[in-house]
Amino acid sequence: MTLKFHNTPTQEVEEFVSLTEKKALVYTCGPTVYDYPHIGNWVAYIHWDTLVRILMANNYDVTRVMNVTDVGHLTSDADEGEDKLEKGARREGKTAWEIAKFYTDDFLSGMNKLGMIEPQHIAKATDYIPQQLDLVRTLMQRGYTYQITDGIYYDTSKFPTYADFARLKPEAQKAGARVEINPEKKNHSDFALWKFTPAGEKRDMEWETPADLLEKKADNKPVMGFPGWHLECSAISMALLGNTIDIHTGGIDHIPVHHTNEIAQSEAATGVRFSNYWIHCNHLKVDSTKISKSLGNGYTLKDLEDKGFSAMDYRMFVLQGHYSNEGNFTFDALTSAKNRLHNWRNIAALRHQIHDTLQNDRDKVASDKTVLLYAAPQAVIEAISNDLGTPEALRIIDDAFARILRARLDNIHRHAFLELLETIDATLGLQLLDSTPDISDEAKSIILERNRAREQKDWLKSDALRDRLLEQGILIRDTDKDSIWEYKS
RNA sequence: GGCGCGUUGGCGGAGCGGUUACGCAGAGGUCUGCAAAACCUUUCAGAUGAGUUCGACUCUCAUACGUGCCUCCA
């Protein structure tokens, strides 16, 4: 099967060809762990989880790295702002290290709730300080750096293709820029590789700047410092995956600055292409407007849970939209997604109610319905392989489920049905199988008893038994042949 | 000023060059011991104007409106 992705540099949907056959090296720009992630942040990770799943469904051996930014991410890219971690630490009266640990753990637990496949490597920026310093050293030796008062900077004018990736037009951009320009910088787009701790300050997180990286030293005191944000992704990616990787993912906001800078510093250092494919997801709006702290619409998973929505409900909501489109979150839309997932679960639960022999299955192969059901898993994989077309995949699943719902239980091909459910869980991570356990033997015997009562037209008894099942969270609906149970919503 | 994304039926929101999304809500009906479900029907679907085409909601261009990025952010 052909895998295709929209590749940012070419702005086209391209066929995916990996560096090594059937192996995929993937790098995901991870969270800055200074606060709870909001639903907009999670959109990206849900899409990248789908990316990993569809690679695996196409038999790729995936090695994925996600960094955790636990140092150096400034609140402003004018390279003057505070470090987010240090700021968060002051806010909560803790050290930056404690803040990083707390929010990293919270992030990982969120990934788990959302049913994500954990990357093979979760790399903390602070664990890769030597590699980052090595990268600065290489860039220095190649003449790409210069030192000013507050740090060591990358000279973007030395990298001729700097503007290409994001199709930047530096002069035009300047006109509308809201950034204060650091007068010591040679070019507007130059960025800090390594920042010096300001004189007289002591940071929770700081490292000694190696002497050979400093242009000149006034005295013999160590110069403390910390990495600029862009440096870590390059250093970690190259350390764990090599100089060139297959796919680098991120949000669209990363295109003009973060990824542009990653490419500049990585390719200047190695002389080879940093990543063959760049996949970027669009942003999520809430109630048609941007997510921002001041509007109070940056809901967290916890906020959704408090309102009665699970992480999986939210995952369904995200999968309903395409990653390249701007999404719009509303609680009505989330309710729709929740209902859809609930309906799907009830359909998944039908597998407990089909009692087949192999012989039955063989007989059913002949019918058109079962043929269509057999085609569904492949169709789902194809849809997602085509530039992560999850909305199309959901449509295919709805189609297949509608056929199942209309069919009588003994007309459903159990094997094909199970295969479809397994494919859905493998590619979309909705955990339909895990979330739909069989009912208890007691409940089953109540259903049998009720069926006997119905045969005897003892409606009083049958309705009483139905109420008893309802108390256990089990709804019964009678069709002309079967009595089917469902989970109460 | 530059770079993007969007505009679909009562609401939210998809796919597709020629046929149903789906969810929520309303109305009528079929079926049913009842309930539920399912199914059928229904309320101007495709911002506007051109173009390509035998044929466009789907491709191209323009216009209008909305919205995001160009400080940190997914």
Side-chain angles (χ1 to χ4, degrees), chain A residues 182-202:
Chain A
N182 180 337
E184 287 189 71
K185 290 206 298 191
K186 291 184 183 174
N187 308 286
H188 176 242
S189 52
D190 291 353
F191 56 93
L193 294 165
W194 187 259
K195 296 268 294 182
F196 302 138
T197 306
E201 260 185 46
K202 169 87 178 97

Side-chain angles (χ1 to χ4, degrees), chain A residues 85-105:
Chain A
L85 271 295
E86 302 270 340
K87 189 182 174 189
R90 267 209 321 285
R91 181 186 69 212
E92 300 185 20
K94 296 176 182 167
T95 69
W97 295 100
E98 287 167 335
I99 290 291
K101 170 91 172 79
F102 178 85
Y103 288 110
T104 300
D105 290 348

Side-chain angles (χ1 to χ4, degrees), chain A residues 13 36 90 95 101 112 121 143 170 187 192 208 276 286 304 311 349 351 371 391 421:
Chain A
V13 177
Y36 296 107
R90 267 209 321 285
T95 69
K101 170 91 172 79
N112 189 43
H121 303 276
N187 308 286
E208 186 175 341
N276 283 331
V286 169
L304 301 189
R351 74 185 185 282
V371 171
L421 293 175

Side-chain angles (χ1 to χ4, degrees), chain A residues 106-370:
Chain A
D106 176 75
F107 185 82
L108 294 177
S109 113
M111 283 188 79
N112 189 43
K113 281 183 190 167
L114 284 160
M116 295 185 187
I117 295 173
E118 206 168 285
Q120 283 70 22
H121 303 276
I122 293 179
K124 289 188 283 184
T126 50
D127 286 341
Y128 288 81
I129 299 296
Q131 288 85 345
Q132 294 179 67
L133 287 167
D134 281 346
L135 183 52
V136 176
R137 186 171 291 113
T138 304
L139 289 169
M140 179 181 238
Q141 287 161 358
R142 293 191 162 214
Y144 285 94
T145 66
Y146 61 95
Q147 183 178 326
I148 58 178
T149 309
D150 69 350
I152 301 168
Y153 279 70
Y154 183 97
D155 185 346
T156 53
S157 67
K158 298 272 175 67
F159 191 71
T161 55
Y162 182 80
D164 294 358
F165 181 70
R167 292 158 206 265
L168 299 172
K169 302 194 174 163
E171 288 315 308
Q173 268 190 304
K174 233 178 191 169
R178 286 170 282 160
V179 198
E180 280 183 43
I181 295 164
N182 180 337
E184 287 189 71
K185 290 206 298 191
K186 291 184 183 174
N187 308 286
H188 176 242
S189 52
D190 291 353
F191 56 93
L193 294 165
W194 187 259
K195 296 268 294 182
F196 302 138
T197 306
E201 260 185 46
K202 169 87 178 97
R203 293 167 49 94
D204 290 334
M205 291 177 167
E206 57 181 5
W207 294 264
E208 186 175 341
T209 313
D212 66 308
L213 295 184
L214 295 168
E215 282 177 0
K216 56 181 173 236
K217 285 186 72 173
D219 49 46
N220 285 326
K221 281 185 191 162
V223 177
M224 302 307 283
F226 58 99
W229 175 43
H230 313 297
L231 192 60
E232 64 176 272
C233 287
S234 292
I236 291 171
S237 180
M238 293 195 276
L240 293 171
L241 298 174
N243 288 348
T244 302
I245 64 169
D246 290 302
I247 304 173
H248 194 120
T249 68
I252 52 167
D253 50 290
H254 283 159
I255 298 171
V257 180
H258 182 49
H259 288 166
T260 289
N261 290 348
E262 275 186 50
I263 290 169
Q265 64 196 5
S266 303
E267 299 190 356
T270 66
V272 298
R273 189 178 318 177
F274 183 45
S275 177
N276 283 331
Y277 297 85
W278 291 83
I279 308 180
H280 291 97
C281 67
N282 211 320
H283 280 181
L284 179 75
K285 295 190 291 186
V286 169
D287 297 324
S288 301
T289 188
K290 70 175 290 189
I291 295 174
S292 88
K293 282 231 166 89
S294 57
L295 290 171
N297 59 6
Y299 304 115
T300 62
L301 288 180
K302 176 79 165 48
D303 292 333
L304 301 189
E305 280 166 14
D306 290 345
K307 288 176 187 281
F309 298 96
S310 69
M312 275 301 153
D313 295 336
Y314 183 64
R315 186 177 181 118
M316 179 63 111
F317 165 81
V318 172
L319 293 175
Q320 284 177 330
H322 193 259
Y323 75 90
S324 66
N325 283 348
E326 198 170 66
N328 186 28
F329 176 89
T330 61
F331 278 100
D332 281 351
L334 183 59
T335 303
S336 296
K338 177 192 171 78
N339 290 335
R340 189 183 208 172
L341 181 59
H342 183 251
N343 293 342
W344 281 21
R345 283 181 177 151
N346 276 328
I347 287 163
L350 289 175
R351 74 185 185 282
H352 300 303
Q353 305 176 58
I354 304 168
H355 304 291
D356 265 353
T357 64
L358 216 59
Q359 183 59 45
N360 293 138
D361 264 7
R362 209 171 295 143
D363 292 342
K364 290 176 199 166
V365 170
S367 91
D368 286 350
K369 279 179 189 166
T370 54

